[in-house]
Amino acid sequence: MSANASRAEKTQAHEYLEKFQKSEEELRVRTKELLEDNASQVLQLLIQYAQSPASASTKAQLLECVSSWLREIPVHRVVNSPLLDTIINALSDEKSFDAAVDCLCTLFRETREVDEYSESITIKTLYPRVVALRPMIARAAESDDLDTYKGVTRVFAEAGEAWVVLIARMPGQFRSLVEAILECAARDQDREAVGLTFHFWSEMKQYLVLEKYIEARAEFSHDFSKLVDIMIKHLQFPVPEDGNETDLFDGDREQEEKFREFRHAMGDVLKYCCEVLGVTECLGTAFARIRQWVTKYGSQATDTNVPHWQELEAPLFSMRAMGRMVDKEENIILPQVMPLLVQVPSHEKVRFAAIMALGRYTEWTAEHPDLLEGQLNFIISGFSHESKEVVRAAALAFKFFCHDCRSLLGGHVQQLQTFYDSVLDGLPVGSQEEVTEGVAYVVSVQPVDKIYETLKLYCDPLMKRLMSKANEAQDHRGKLAVADHLQLITLFMQIVAPYVEPSQENPAVKYCQEIFPVLATIVDNFLDFSPICERVCRCWRSMILSYRTAMTPLLPALAEKLAACFAASKQGCFLWTTDSIVREFSEGADYIDENTSLAIYQFFEQQAVSMLRALNDVAPEDLPDVIEDFFRLLIDALLYYPNRLIPSVLFSPIFSAALTALTLQQTEPLTATLHYIRDVLGYAGDNPPTSSFDRQLPNPPEIREAVQTLILAEGETLVQRILTGMMFSFPKDCFPDASGVLLGLVEMVPGQISPWIARTVQMLPAGTVTQTEMERLMGQINERLQAGELRKVRYLLQDFTNSYRRRNVAPRDGLGRLEAARFRFSG
C-alpha cells in the first residue's frame, strides 16, 4: 500500500512540476507578446501624444506612462526621441513638475550600468540637459519655492548617484554635476532638501578613498572642503523669531526631534569628508569657525548672554561628530582647539556641546596628559550647571574620561572619591551609574595591595547609603531606589577585577566577604520584590564572573543563601546566579578540588528539587521566566556534570518537566527547553556536547544506556509534544530546534519513531487530517527510514506540520488526547 502511495505521489508531483514549468513558459511568452514586442509601438504612441496639442504634452499622466514603460523600452530610445524634450519642458509646469522629476530619476536609474551606457549617446545626451537645469536651483531658492527646490535637488542627487562611477573615472567632465549638488546643499536655508544629497556623498566617498581614484580625490577635495563648511552651517540651531531662547522650535517637539536626528545624519556626512580630505583639514574648518566666533563675539559673552551662540555650538557639535575619525597622534589642530573648548561660555547648549566633544576625544587626551587637568576640571564643573542636560553630559563624558585616562588618574583616587561622594546623590540614576563606572575604572588600576582599602574608600559610603535606603523603603518608589543603588555596588564588582595568583587572597574578594551579610539581609527583607532580588543576584553573579575561583571562601554562604531564597521565592534570578557558579566551579576546572566540585553539584541538585516541587504545585504558564532560567541552568549542569546528572534519580523527572514546559507558547523558555532536550539526545551517541577540549574522551556506555532507556520510555510523549507544538502552539522561531529534536529521535531510535508518529497523527482532532493524508505521510516516512535517508524524515515532518498549521487552528475545547498530562513530582 505504501509503495503504491509513493508512486502515486511521485506521479502527482511530476505532473505538477510539468504544469508549473509550462505555466512559467506561458508567462514568459505572453510577457514578450504583450510588452516587449509592443515596446516600439508604444514608444511611437507616446511620441505622438507628446507632439499633440501643447496642453497634452504637459499632462502628468503622460510622464507617468513613460516612467512605467521605461522597464520595457530601451532607455536610449527614449533619450534620443522627442520625449526627452517633453520631460525636460514639463519641469517648467507646476502641474507636471513632480511627474517630470520622477520620470527623469527613472531615466537615471536605467543608466546605472555605466559600462554599458558610457560609450553610448545616452549619458552624453542626458548629461548636458541635466546640467543645464542648474539655474533652477537659484530661482527656487530665491523664490522660497520649497517643492521645486526639493524636486531639483532630487534630480541632481539621483543623477550623481547613477553616474558616480563615471564621476570618479572622469572628474573633469562631471565636475559641473558635483558642483550643482553642492549648490543644492548650500542654498537650502530650510534644511528640507539637503538630506536628499547625503546618499550621493556616501557613494562618492566609497570611490574617492580608493587609490585607483586618487586623481578624482584631488579634483574634488575643494568641493568636499566646501561641504564641511556647508554641513557645519546647517548644524546651527534655529534663531527664534520672538527671541525666546528657551523654546527654539515654538513648542513643536516633533520638529525638534527631527532636527536632532538630522544633525546626526549630517555628522555622518562630516565623517565622509574626513575620509576623503583627512581629519586635520576637517577639524581645521571647525576650528576656524570657533576662532571666528571668539574674535567677533567672545568679548561680548557673559554667563547670562552669549550672542549668536548657534555659530559657536555648531562647530563644537561637528567636532564631536568627527571625533571617531581622529587618530590619537593628531598634533596639529587639537592641541590648539582643546584650550579653547574649556573656556566656552556657560550657555546650556554651548556647554553641553563642548563637554560632549571632550568626551569623544578622551583617547586622544590619554596620549596628551599635559591637557588632561584643564579638561577634567571643565567636565567636573558641568556637574554644578543648572541645566540637567549639561549634568547628564558631564556624567557621560566623565565616564569616558576615567575609562581612557585611568592610568593617568590612578594617583588621584582620594580627590576623585571626595568629588564622587559629593555629587552622587544629586544625579539621576543613569548618571549615577556612569559616574560610578568612571571611578571604578580608576580604582581598577590601583596596585593589588591598595585594592582593598580603595574599594572600602569608595564602597563603604555606598553601603551606608544602601542600608539607609533599605531601612526607609516602605513604598514601591523607595524599594526601586534600593534596587538602583545596588547597581552601583555591582559596577565596582564588574570592573575592579585585579589579577592575583591563585595561592594568594584576592583583596576584592576580601571586601566581598565583608559586604555579603548586608546583601544577604537586604534580599531576605525584600524577597517579595523582584527588582531588588535581581540586583542582588546580579551583584553576586558579577563577583563570581570577576573573581572566579578566588570566590571559593564565600561559596558555602552564597550557595546556602541562594538555595534558601529560591525555595522561598521561586524567582529565576537565584537560578541565574546558581548557573554562574556551576560553570565556574565545574568538575575538572583549574584550582577546583573534587570536594568543592561535588558540593557545587549537590547545591545544583538542591535547586533542581526546589524547582521540580514548584512545577508540581504551579502550572508552567505561571512560571515561564523561571522555567527559562531553570533549563539554561540544566544545559550547563548537563555540560559540566554529565556523569553525575544523567545517572541520578533527578534525570527522569527533569525530563518530564521538560515535556511539560513544551506546552508553553513563549519563545525564550521554549528555546531553552528544546536546547536542553537536544543536548540530552546527544548523550545517547558517541559525540555528546562536552565542556572539555579533549574530544577523544569517550562517552561512557552507562551514560548512553541511561539516555536511551529514558527516551524509549518517554520518546512517544516527546514526539506528541513536539508535533503538537509545531502544529498548534510553537512560535516560528522555535521550529528549527523542534525539528532538530525530531531529527535526534529519528537518528537515535529509527525503529520506534514511525509508530510514535503514526499514533500522534491519529490523535489529531477529528476532521483535521484525512486518512489518505495520514497514509501518504507514513508511507513517505517509512520509505525514507528504509532507505536510510533519516534527514529527509525531518523535512517530511516539517512540511506536514507547516501544511497542517496553515489549514487548522487549535480547537477551543482543547486538544483532546493530545493535551499534556499534569507534571507530578514526589521527591
Side-chain angles (χ1 to χ4, degrees):
M1 181 67 180
S2 61
N4 292 335
S6 178
R7 284 194 293 271
E9 185 70 18
K10 287 181 179 178
T11 302
Q12 183 179 1
H14 183 68
E15 291 174 353
Y16 175 78
L17 182 59
E18 285 185 340
K19 289 180 180 179
F20 178 76
Q21 291 172 339
K22 186 176 181 180
S23 62
E24 283 283 295
E25 182 61 30
E26 289 175 348
L27 178 62
R28 282 194 293 269
V29 170
R30 290 296 290 161
T31 299
K32 185 176 184 302
E33 291 175 354
L34 293 174
L35 299 179
E36 295 178 29
D37 293 350
N38 287 320
S40 298
Q41 185 179 352
V42 169
L43 177 61
Q44 292 305 313
L45 286 172
L46 292 172
I47 294 172
Q48 291 174 16
Y49 187 77
Q51 294 174 336
S52 61
S55 60
S57 65
T58 59
K59 286 185 177 177
Q61 291 91 332
L62 169 66
L63 302 174
E64 291 168 359
C65 191
V66 173
S67 297
S68 177
W69 274 91
L70 276 170
R71 301 168 187 168
E72 308 300 334
I73 303 173
V75 66
H76 68 88
R77 297 188 62 186
V78 174
V79 170
N80 294 311
S81 75
L83 284 176
L84 181 59
D85 288 332
T86 301
I87 297 168
I88 297 293
N89 293 336
L91 290 170
S92 303
D93 188 286
E94 183 179 348
K95 296 179 180 178
S96 59
F97 178 80
D98 290 339
V101 169
D102 288 339
C103 195
L104 269 178
C105 292
T106 304
L107 280 172
F108 301 150
R109 285 193 290 272
E110 292 297 322
T111 61
R112 276 183 176 273
E113 300 296 329
V114 294
D115 288 326
E116 179 180 344
Y117 286 103
S118 59
E119 298 304 323
S120 72
I121 197 68
T122 307
I123 295 178
K124 293 179 182 179
T125 303
L126 266 177
Y127 179 70
R129 301 298 299 272
V130 172
V131 172
L133 299 173
R134 186 172 175 181
M136 292 184 70
I137 303 171
R139 288 200 299 271
E142 291 165 3
S143 62
D144 290 328
D145 187 349
L146 180 57
D147 291 336
T148 300
Y149 195 90
K150 290 174 69 174
V152 173
T153 301
R154 183 183 165 203
V155 167
F156 284 113
E158 294 211 20
E161 292 170 24
W163 303 333
V164 66
V165 179
L166 292 178
I167 294 172
R169 290 178 184 172
M170 298 177 281
Q173 298 180 34
F174 284 87
R175 163 170 281 285
S176 296
L177 178 57
V178 176
E179 290 176 344
I181 298 172
L182 193 67
E183 183 179 352
C184 289
R187 288 182 175 272
D188 184 18
Q189 299 301 316
D190 296 322
R191 291 175 285 217
E192 293 286 346
V194 63
L196 298 172
T197 70
F198 291 171
H199 186 63
F200 166 72
W201 300 119
S202 173
E203 292 284 305
M204 184 80 159
K205 178 266 299 183
Q206 300 282 5
Y207 289 95
L208 296 188
V209 296
L210 300 177
E211 193 67 27
K212 179 179 180 180
Y213 299 113
I214 190 170
E215 179 186 342
R217 190 191 317 168
E219 179 81 20
F220 292 119
S221 61
H222 184 63
D223 300 280
F224 271 85
S225 183
K226 286 183 178 179
L227 182 61
V228 174
D229 207 54
I230 291 168
M231 288 297 109
I232 294 177
K233 179 71 170 62
H234 284 319
L235 285 171
Q236 291 182 18
F237 275 96
V239 177
E241 295 179 1
D242 59 0
N244 182 11
E245 293 282 350
T246 61
D247 191 357
L248 301 176
F249 296 89
D250 298 326
D252 190 341
R253 293 294 167 251
E254 183 178 348
Q255 188 66 23
E256 182 176 1
E257 185 60 31
K258 181 180 176 182
F259 179 69
R260 291 181 188 278
E261 293 175 0
F262 179 60
R263 294 183 103 206
H264 288 290
M266 286 190 285
D268 290 337
V269 176
L270 288 171
K271 294 183 183 73
Y272 308 152
C273 295
C274 288
E275 292 189 64
V276 173
L277 298 172
V279 170
T280 298
E281 182 170 344
C282 296
L283 284 176
T285 302
F287 179 42
R289 280 186 166 269
I290 294 172
R291 284 195 303 181
Q292 181 181 349
W293 184 91
V294 171
T295 302
K296 290 174 65 177
Y297 307 114
S299 60
Q300 306 172 31
T302 66
D303 287 341
T304 57
N305 179 46
V306 181
H308 302 279
W309 62 265
Q310 292 91 339
E311 296 178 23
L312 175 60
E313 191 275 344
L316 292 175
F317 182 93
S318 74
M319 288 197 62
R320 170 188 168 193
M322 294 184 285
R324 186 165 58 87
M325 312 300 296
V326 178
D327 191 89
K328 290 184 288 187
E329 280 72 41
E330 204 288 323
N331 284 314
I332 299 175
I333 300 298
L334 289 181
Q336 301 179 66
V337 76
M338 286 300 177
L340 283 179
L341 288 190
V342 299
Q343 298 178 46
V344 301
S346 186
H347 185 280
E348 175 187 3
K349 285 188 165 46
V350 172
R351 184 61 65 94
F352 177 88
I355 289 175
M356 292 296 284
L358 290 176
R360 187 59 64 91
Y361 288 87
T362 49
E363 290 186 10
W364 182 89
T365 302
E367 300 296 322
H368 298 78
D370 53 311
L371 297 171
L372 181 146
E373 184 177 354
Q375 294 181 46
L376 180 59
N377 290 335
F378 182 77
I379 292 172
I380 288 176
S381 71
F383 286 91
S384 58
H385 200 279
E386 60 184 11
S387 167
K388 294 180 179 179
E389 290 293 326
V390 173
V391 172
R392 280 194 281 266
L396 182 62
F398 182 82
K399 180 184 78 169
F400 293 139
F401 205 94
C402 291
H403 177 273
D404 293 325
C405 303
R406 55 188 181 273
S407 297
L408 300 175
L409 296 172
H412 302 277
V413 288
Q414 184 65 57
Q415 299 95 310
L416 284 176
Q417 195 280 328
T418 302
F419 159 73
Y420 174 64
D421 196 55
S422 66
V423 302
L424 187 66
D425 291 334
L427 297 175
V429 172
S431 296
Q432 286 184 350
E433 293 180 7
E434 288 165 349
V435 174
T436 300
E437 192 173 336
V439 296
Y441 280 117
V442 178
V443 173
S444 70
V445 299
Q446 299 302 301
V448 173
D449 60 348
K450 299 289 185 181
I451 288 289
Y452 172 73
E453 63 183 63
T454 310
L455 271 177
K456 283 186 68 66
L457 176 67
Y458 278 83
C459 292
D460 277 358
L462 291 180
M463 294 302 297
K464 290 178 181 177
R465 285 185 175 91
L466 179 63
M467 290 185 286
S468 175
K469 290 177 182 292
N471 290 331
E472 297 171 1
Q474 301 296 327
D475 56 9
H476 184 81
R477 185 176 180 179
K479 294 176 182 177
L480 284 179
V482 175
D484 291 335
H485 208 73
L486 280 162
Q487 178 63 13
L488 307 184
I489 303 295
T490 301
L491 288 170
F492 277 99
M493 300 302 104
Q494 291 173 340
I495 295 170
V496 183
Y499 175 77
V500 179
E501 291 293 337
S503 58
Q504 299 177 359
E505 181 185 37
N506 189 311
V509 174
K510 180 181 178 182
Y511 188 72
C512 291
Q513 289 176 291
E514 286 187 11
I515 65 174
F516 178 79
V518 177
L519 298 177
T521 300
I522 288 175
V523 80
D524 284 339
N525 292 337
F526 296 95
L527 202 55
D528 59 345
F529 192 71
S530 59
I532 289 179
C533 293
E534 289 171 1
R535 290 298 175 88
V536 171
C537 283
R538 181 180 297 175
C539 186
W540 287 340
R541 183 174 184 270
S542 298
M543 295 177 185
I544 295 294
L545 297 181
S546 293
Y547 313 127
R548 307 175 74 91
T549 55
M551 283 287 290
T552 301
L554 196 53
L555 276 184
L558 178 57
E560 181 181 355
K561 181 54 63 178
L562 289 172
C565 289
F566 179 66
S569 71
K570 305 299 183 292
Q571 292 195 45
C573 57
F574 298 106
L575 296 180
W576 181 52
T577 309
T578 300
D579 190 10
S580 64
I581 296 175
V582 168
R583 283 200 305 270
E584 294 297 335
F585 294 87
S586 59
E587 284 186 313
D590 293 339
Y591 313 113
I592 301 298
D593 59 64
E594 187 175 347
N595 290 333
T596 300
S597 178
L598 176 60
I600 295 302
Y601 177 75
Q602 291 171 342
F603 163 51
F604 154 74
E605 281 198 331
Q606 189 177 358
Q607 298 290 64
V609 169
S610 295
M611 181 64 189
L612 295 175
R613 288 171 179 167
L615 284 173
N616 185 70
D617 300 331
V618 182
E621 293 80 8
D622 297 327
L623 296 171
D625 295 336
V626 185
I627 287 174
E628 178 189 355
D629 290 322
F630 179 54
F631 281 100
R632 294 201 184 282
L633 167 61
L634 282 167
I635 290 169
D636 283 329
L638 186 64
L639 184 65
Y640 293 107
Y641 292 94
N643 295 334
R644 295 188 187 276
L645 176 57
I646 292 176
S648 74
V649 296
L650 292 178
F651 188 53
S652 179
I654 286 174
F655 196 83
S656 297
L659 298 177
T660 299
L662 293 178
T663 60
L664 294 172
Q665 298 184 22
Q666 295 96 328
T667 300
E668 289 76 13
L670 278 172
T671 299
T673 305
L674 290 167
H675 284 179
Y676 171 72
I677 294 173
R678 294 188 71 175
D679 287 351
V680 167
L681 294 177
Y683 279 93
D686 295 327
N687 295 300
T690 178
S691 61
S692 172
F693 288 108
D694 186 359
R695 291 282 179 177
Q696 303 302 316
L697 292 176
N699 188 25
E702 61 273 16
I703 298 297
R704 292 201 304 267
E705 292 171 6
V707 175
Q708 290 167 358
T709 301
L710 175 68
I711 295 305
L712 289 174
E714 300 284 0
E716 184 168 357
T717 305
L718 176 58
V719 169
Q720 290 178 9
R721 296 274 55 80
I722 295 293
L723 290 179
T724 300
M726 293 177 72
M727 287 186 285
F728 293 109
S729 60
F730 284 176
K732 287 292 183 183
D733 289 345
C734 295
F735 275 44
D737 286 313
S739 178
V741 171
L742 292 175
L743 176 61
L745 286 170
V746 170
E747 293 174 339
M748 179 180 171
V749 285
Q752 286 76 24
I753 192 70
S754 180
W756 291 348
I757 294 171
R759 286 193 287 271
T760 300
V761 173
Q762 289 169 1
M763 296 166 69
L764 289 169
T768 59
V769 61
T770 66
Q771 185 66 29
T772 302
E773 287 178 301
M774 285 191 281
E775 291 176 356
R776 184 188 308 137
L777 172 67
M778 297 315 302
Q780 292 172 328
I781 288 174
N782 289 327
E783 182 180 343
R784 297 293 182 265
L785 289 172
Q786 291 170 9
E789 298 172 330
L790 303 184
R791 287 188 173 272
K792 291 187 177 181
V793 176
R794 175 189 193 177
Y795 302 138
L796 287 171
L797 291 172
Q798 282 179 332
D799 292 342
F800 174 77
T801 54
N802 286 334
S803 173
Y804 185 92
R805 188 163 184 155
R806 284 194 299 268
R807 293 182 286 116
N808 300 280
V809 296
R812 293 183 178 180
D813 56 351
L815 297 175
R817 292 182 295 169
L818 286 176
E819 288 285 357
R822 181 69 184 268
F823 174 74
R824 298 297 180 192
F825 178 69
S826 57

